[in-house]
Amino acid sequence: MPYDTRELLARLIQCEAGGEGENGMKAVATVVMNRATVPYGAFSRINGGTNIQNIIFQEGQFVCAAETVDGVYNPQNIYNMNPEEIHYDIADWALAGNILPGVDNALYFYNPYSTECLTYFPPYRLGVIHNRIGDHCFYIPTSYYAET
């Protein structure tokens, strides 16, 4: 059964940041929405004019959107999530155009499993560290992103 955008976003929020508290989940939702609305660069071509599902399923972006990783079944994927009301509330909040202050126009997030955030993420200096919320580091686009 195909899921609508709200359902997919709620599942992605739970999977990517379910243990990060409300602000952590809102931060991840903000990045998804930033990617869906950025008017330039690679995500602009992927989003097709705000298509959130294209952003969620863009290959290699969200581990939780993949049923397999490196040829191995990924049990922590959006199809195995059971979102609760908080996940739907945050999805609705994001879909209404809200952003979490401190995330601003970040296009990337990363959990380094460390107390230190990388200066740039991903490689090729597309994003530069902007803020850390919970276990995730958030990166705003550099001028290199605009050229993607």
Side-chain angles (χ1 to χ4, degrees), residues 9-128:
L9 185 56
R11 287 169 177 264
L12 186 73
I13 290 165
Q14 180 187 28
C15 188
E16 292 284 351
E20 294 290 313
E22 185 173 341
N23 279 346
M25 291 186 286
K26 283 183 174 181
V28 165
T30 297
V31 167
V32 173
M33 297 308 295
N34 285 347
R35 288 181 178 195
T37 58
V38 66
Y40 63 95
F43 294 127
S44 175
R45 288 189 302 283
I46 299 296
N47 73 30
T50 71
N51 187 319
I52 296 163
Q53 291 191 27
N54 284 358
I55 294 299
I56 290 173
F57 289 115
Q58 182 185 3
E59 189 173 337
Q61 295 300 305
F62 299 109
V63 173
C64 286
E67 289 185 84
T68 60
V69 176
D70 296 328
V72 178
Y73 178 68
N74 174 24
Q76 186 171 337
N77 68 64
I78 57 177
Y79 302 107
N80 291 338
M81 296 292 107
N82 294 303
E84 298 174 5
E85 194 60 37
I86 184 72
H87 306 114
Y88 291 109
D89 290 346
I90 292 171
D92 292 339
W93 170 89
L95 291 167
N98 295 293
I99 64 165
L100 185 69
V103 176
D104 306 313
N105 66 331
L107 294 178
Y108 305 96
F109 64 87
Y110 173 69
N111 182 342
Y113 299 98
S114 161
T115 57
E116 300 292 321
C117 293
L118 301 171
T119 302
Y120 295 99
F121 185 85
Y124 318 116
R125 299 179 179 250
L126 299 180
V128 64

